[in-house]
Amino acid sequence: GAVVSQHPSWVICKSGTSVKIECRSLDFQATTMFWYRQFPKQSLMLMATSNEGSKATYEQGVEKDKFLINHASLTLSTLTVTSAHPEDSSFYICSAGTRQGGQPQHFGDGTRLSIL
Amino acid sequence: KQEVTQIPAALSVPEGENLVLNCSFTDSAIYNLQWFRQDPGKGLTSLLLIQSSQREQTSGRLNASLDKSSGRSTLYIAASQPGDSATYLCAVRPIGGNTPLVFGKGTRLSVIA
């Protein structure tokens, strides 16, 4: 069964709306979760690293004020796309892992965000 | 900075053929390498995970090899089926704590019945 649950799976909303995406680790405590974005026919690009109890680390070119990340517990990280615009339409996917580097990372099923 | 390259970008084969997908990476300092499958509009399905100390992993009709020193991995699919049609992504996990995966751009595979 899934070890990482991501919701919602699909969101369609109007421009200017803020959208929150949840990522939960079901079977383990994830001190770190990763948020990726994937544009059509492109690969996954890391947006930010979400650390439990501290501020997220954003990749170059990702606006931290637009993509708010909260990791308040060891099992939940949220990504909020604030004042979303059509260019934010994309596939967003989270992953979670442990500090043991040899262990696999587990991915959520992703969220398809469409901004009209 | 770690970079992952996958060749070919797209591949179309008739059903029943054996095929090889290639993946290369620039920095051999990795914990492991994973192959994923992604269907259109869907999330990732992990196929095989090869630790840095391993040479290959097998699951059913899939076999993945890893040559860390040369920065290469291959995914071998035997007796391909139309249901194998998907995008296959290669990703490495760089050494350095709880690091994110670095993905290639993927190979879009079409298996024609």
Side-chain angles (χ1 to χ4, degrees), chain A residues 101-107, chain B residues 4 6 23 30 32-37 45-51 64 66 73 88-93 101-104:
Chain A
Q103 296 301 308
Q105 291 194 0
H106 302 283
F107 285 79
Chain B
V4 179
Q6 291 187 245
C23 172
I30 62 171
N32 51 51
L33 181 147
Q34 272 183 273
W35 283 94
F36 295 88
R37 168 184 173 140
T45 300
S46 181
L47 299 174
L48 291 165
L49 170 72
I50 310 177
Q51 301 293 351
L66 174 64
S73 175
Y88 290 81
L89 295 167
C90 169
V92 298
R93 190 169 191 189
L101 297 182
V102 179
F103 284 85

Side-chain angles (χ1 to χ4, degrees), chain B residues 18-95:
Chain B
N18 303 322
L19 57 100
V20 175
L21 308 181
N22 297 291
C23 172
S24 62
F25 48 97
T26 55
D27 190 339
S28 61
I30 62 171
Y31 287 124
N32 51 51
L33 181 147
Q34 272 183 273
W35 283 94
F36 295 88
R37 168 184 173 140
Q38 186 177 30
D39 292 291
K42 303 295 184 181
L44 304 181
T45 300
S46 181
L47 299 174
L48 291 165
L49 170 72
I50 310 177
Q51 301 293 351
S52 62
S53 59
Q54 297 175 326
R55 298 285 291 183
E56 67 176 349
Q57 284 288 322
T58 298
S59 176
R61 295 183 292 110
L62 305 180
N63 176 278
S65 68
L66 174 64
D67 184 342
K68 195 177 71 166
S69 61
S70 67
R72 295 181 181 183
S73 175
T74 62
L75 177 66
Y76 175 83
I77 302 177
S80 59
Q81 303 171 358
D84 295 330
S85 298
T87 295
Y88 290 81
L89 295 167
C90 169
V92 298
R93 190 169 191 189
I95 286 176

Side-chain angles (χ1 to χ4, degrees), chain A residues 35-39 43-45 47 62 67 90-92:
Chain A
W35 288 94
Y36 297 83
R37 179 169 55 186
Q38 185 181 35
F39 291 108
S43 190
L44 279 74
M45 297 300 295
M47 297 176 65
V62 178
F67 299 98
S90 188
F91 188 68
Y92 294 85

